[in-house]
Structures are given as C-alpha cells and as structure tokens.
C-alpha cells in the first residue's frame, strides 16, 4: 500500500490477499481483510473499523477464528494497517 500510496487490497505486483497468504504458506481459509492508512495507533484504527459496517463485519464474522494484524510506518509517521481474518 505504501509503495502505491493508497489503501488498496491488491499489491503492487497485482496480488490479492488470498495470493499473499498462500505465498506465505498459510493453510487456513481467508475470511476477510481490512486496510487503512492513518497516523493513529492500533486502538484508534480498530475503533474506526468497528464504526463502519463493512469493516466491522470482517472483524465480527462468526466464521473467523484467527486474525493477523500488520502495519508499516513511513518516515513521515503515516501508518499503513492490514487486518486479515481466517479460519
């Protein structure tokens, strides 16, 4: 996302979230992905996701039993967030 300078579900190489988890050898099933660009911490980012139906549904999906949270911070302080849910 940072390389493309936009919050986008597809990588600069055209990869999807499913492509990327498979590339890492994850054997579970992807349920959903949330992304964000912000200057806020993880609690503020999670709070913003919980206030929007689409992103809240990813977090609260009853099929999801696992999650991963990642971030990248640019020198400017901007943080790019990704949350994946899976089962």
């Amino acid at each position: 996302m940072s390389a493309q300078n936009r919050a986008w579900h597809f990588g600069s190489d055209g990869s999807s979230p499913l492509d990327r988890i498979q590339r890492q050898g994850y054997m579970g099933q992807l349920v959903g992905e949330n992304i964000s660009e912000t200057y806020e911490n993880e609690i503020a980012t999670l709070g913003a996701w919980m206030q929007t139906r689409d992103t809240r549904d990813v977090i609260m999906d009853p099929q999801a039993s696992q999650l991963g949270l990642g971030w990248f911070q640019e020198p400017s302080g901007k943080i790019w967030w990704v949350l994946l849910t899976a089962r």
Side-chain angles (χ1 to χ4, degrees):
M1 291 184 290
S2 176
Q4 298 179 74
N5 196 35
R6 64 177 176 168
W8 180 243
H9 292 279
F10 295 93
S12 57
D13 62 355
S15 63
S16 71
L18 182 59
D19 295 331
R20 292 189 298 276
I21 67 167
Q22 289 174 340
R23 188 183 305 157
Q24 293 302 312
Y26 180 73
M27 301 302 286
Q29 180 180 0
L30 178 67
V31 174
E33 179 183 63
N34 285 343
I35 56 176
S36 180
E37 75 179 275
T38 183
Y39 290 91
E40 299 177 341
N41 64 27
E42 67 276 17
I43 299 302
T45 301
L46 180 60
W49 283 335
M50 292 300 288
Q51 291 183 27
T52 303
R53 182 176 181 174
D54 291 344
T55 52
R56 181 178 57 245
D57 287 352
V58 169
I59 296 167
M60 301 301 294
D61 191 317
Q63 294 182 49
S65 59
Q66 300 176 343
L67 69 84
L69 179 66
W71 57 274
F72 172 78
Q73 188 167 21
E74 296 180 350
S76 68
K78 182 189 285 186
I79 306 171
W80 299 89
W81 295 95
V82 61
L83 178 138
L84 294 168
T85 56
R87 62 183 182 147

